[in-house]
Structures are given as C-alpha cells and as structure tokens.
Amino acid sequence: MAKPAKVRQPAAPASSRQAARRVRILRAASELGAREGLAGVQMHDVAKEAGVAIATLYRYFPSKPYLFLSVLEWHIEQFLGGDDPGPVPDETTDPATEVAETLIALSGKLLGSPLLASAVALSSFTEYASAVQTRFDVVERPLGQRLLRLLGGRADTETTRSRVRLLVYSWWGLFVAMLTEEIATEQGEAALRLAARLIAEQ
C-alpha cells in the first residue's frame, strides 16, 4: 500500500520582506475572490496577481481553503485595526453593547463582498476536513482578543474565555445564516445583540 503524501505545513514569514510578500498574496486572493468566488479562483492566478512564484504561494498557503481562511483572518485583523488592541473599557462601557456592535460591524464589512464572504465560509468547512488542518483557540485570535478586552475588567479566567468562544461561534453561525439568506440581515443583527447580552452578562 502506498504511503500517503507528506503534508506540507505552512511556513511563517521570517523577515519583513517575506511578511510583505504574504500580504501581497492575501490581497491578491481577496481581489480575485471578490470577483470570481471560490470556484473561479485558481492558485496560479493568485500567484500571478501577487507577483510571486507558485512555489512561494504554496510555501505559505498549502491549499486554497487554507489560503482563504487566512484571507478571513487578515480581513478581521484589518477591520480591528491591525495591532491596535482597541479602547480600554471603563465603568461607562456596556460590554454587551460594545461586543454586539463590533460583531455587527464586522459582519457588515464581510457581507459587503458576497462572493468573497462565500469563499471564506466555504473554505472554513473544507479546511476542517482537509489534510492541512487549522486548529486554534479562537480566544487567541485577533477577534477573540478584542472580545476579551471588551468584556472589561473581568479577569481572564477560563469562564471568561468560554464566554468569548461562545460569542465567536454565535457570531459565525449568524454570519453564515445571513450570508446564505437563511435569515434577514436585520434578524441576524437582532440575534447578535441578544446573544451578546445573554453571554456577556452571565
């Protein structure tokens, strides 16, 4: 019996030049995905658009689903302001409202490009069944860290981290439901506000 092919793990940029090259790839994939949708984008087209060799593309992104999951993360980071941790909550801040409005605005940003939104959503399902799997704690990702911060003065306990996970998973489910028009945008936003209130105030 033949041995399965060894999975190529994604490389991390080791220099500012490599980091810039990775961003060019993400930007190119975003532009192509927004025009063509997931099925219409070929990895060779992304490499050409980004001005990199196809081997370089696969070095950082071993599969198309992995690439578009990375596009999603990149867009979330851009929406949140990159390395900006966001405002420090104070006693006048209502955590549930801040969380809800952040998630609603993020949904609106992503849904503004329906083909790209579909590409990242489809890739999330495909990637979890693929050989190169993306496994991470959502609390450690930029969105999780922002929500953790918005919960205010609460200690970074496992209970608080569980609240953040519930918020992210609730948002993602409602985002997909709005994307597929299973529910109207207004319904999705109302549900996000309710979910934020129920989860953040427990």
Side-chain angles (χ1 to χ4, degrees), residues 19-155:
R21 186 181 299 138
R22 186 177 185 276
V23 168
R24 287 209 314 273
I25 294 170
L26 292 168
R27 184 174 290 113
S30 297
E31 293 172 356
L32 289 169
R35 293 199 306 263
E36 308 292 339
L38 185 65
V41 176
Q42 303 301 318
M43 295 293 268
H44 279 89
D45 296 330
V46 175
K48 181 178 179 181
E49 184 85 5
V52 301
I54 189 66
T56 299
L57 172 59
Y58 276 109
R59 179 169 179 260
Y60 295 119
F61 307 101
S63 69
K64 187 163 72 169
Y66 185 89
L67 169 60
F68 276 93
L69 268 186
S70 299
V71 165
L72 172 62
E73 278 293 307
W74 182 61
H75 276 269
I76 290 174
E77 289 173 13
Q78 297 302 302
F79 169 79
L80 294 175
D83 295 330
D84 181 6
V88 178
D90 56 31
E91 63 276 0
T92 66
T93 301
D94 175 23
T97 298
E98 293 295 323
V99 165
E101 294 310 313
T102 296
L103 295 175
I104 287 169
L106 175 57
S107 295
K109 169 75 170 146
L110 296 173
L111 291 170
S113 182
L115 286 177
L116 182 58
S118 295
V120 299
L122 288 169
S123 293
S124 74
F125 303 133
T126 303
E127 183 62 21
Y128 273 88
S130 72
V132 181
Q133 297 173 333
T134 304
R135 294 286 187 263
F136 52 76
D137 184 349
V138 294
V139 180
E140 302 304 327
R141 311 306 288 182
L143 181 58
Q145 288 294 296
R146 176 60 60 86
L147 298 184
L148 197 63
R149 188 176 178 86
L150 288 176
L151 288 180
R154 301 182 182 190

